[in-house]
Every structure is written in structure tokens, then in C-alpha cells.
């Protein structure tokens, strides 16, 4: 599986038949709402992701654990 972070304003260009997510509603966004990511399982990069940095599973998990993506003080704690 490969992961690519995109800007939120690029979601309209995503061909959901080429990625694992079903629709815009299933995407996870950064806390400020400016970024999201998609994943795909193919040797061929979907054309709308050409030129973008691809991450492995362990790399994306490290990124998603940062304060940009995960609230360090979730409600109720």
C-alpha cells in the first residue's frame, strides 16, 4: 500500500475508483483541515497523484501521529 498526502483543495481531482477510499466523506483530514491523504495498492501511480511524495505504511503512521494530524489533548482527557 502507498499513501499520498494532498491538499484539501485537490480532493475534487481524486478518482475514487483508483484509491482505497470510497468518497470525500471517508477521508481523514489534518486538524486544521488543509490536508488529507489517499492510499492505493498498485504499481502504477494514479495520474492525479503524479509528482507527489509517496509514503509507506510506517512512514504515514509516523506522520499521522504528529500534532498536525492528532490532537495531543483529545476531549475528555
Amino acid at each position: 500500500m502507498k499513501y499520498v498526502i494532498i491538499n484539501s483543495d485537490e480532493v475534487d481531482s481524486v478518482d475514487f475508483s483508483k484509491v482505497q477510499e470510497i468518497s470525500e466523506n471517508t477521508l481523514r483530514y489534518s486538524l486544521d483541515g488543509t490536508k488529507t491523504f489517499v492510499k492505493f495498492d498498485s504499481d502504477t501511480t494514479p495520474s492525479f497523484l503524479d509528482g507527489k511524495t509517496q509514503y509507506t505504511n510506517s512512514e504515514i503512521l509516523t506522520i499521522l501521529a504528529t500534532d498536525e494530524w492528532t490532537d495531543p489533548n483529545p476531549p475528555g482527557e
Side-chain angles (χ1 to χ4, degrees):
M1 197 70 65
K2 298 171 188 156
Y3 302 80
V4 177
I5 295 172
I6 61 172
N7 292 323
S8 298
D9 61 3
E10 296 176 278
V11 169
D12 289 342
S13 70
V14 173
D15 179 348
F16 286 98
S17 70
K18 307 275 188 205
V19 296
Q20 298 295 311
E21 292 72 28
I22 298 167
S23 72
E24 182 178 347
N25 297 329
T26 62
L27 297 173
R28 176 178 170 184
Y29 289 86
S30 58
L31 293 179
D32 66 6
T34 62
K35 297 178 186 174
T36 188
F37 68 95
V38 294
K39 57 187 174 282
F40 64 97
D41 189 17
S42 170
D43 290 333
T44 305
T45 302
S47 60
F48 60 90
L49 298 174
D50 279 345
K52 299 197 177 296
T53 304
Q54 295 181 14
Y55 300 96
T56 64
N57 183 265
S58 61
E59 290 171 329
I60 199 72
L61 289 176
T62 299
I63 292 167
L64 295 178
T66 65
D67 292 351
E68 183 177 14
W69 292 87
T70 302
D71 189 344
N73 303 302
E77 287 194 17

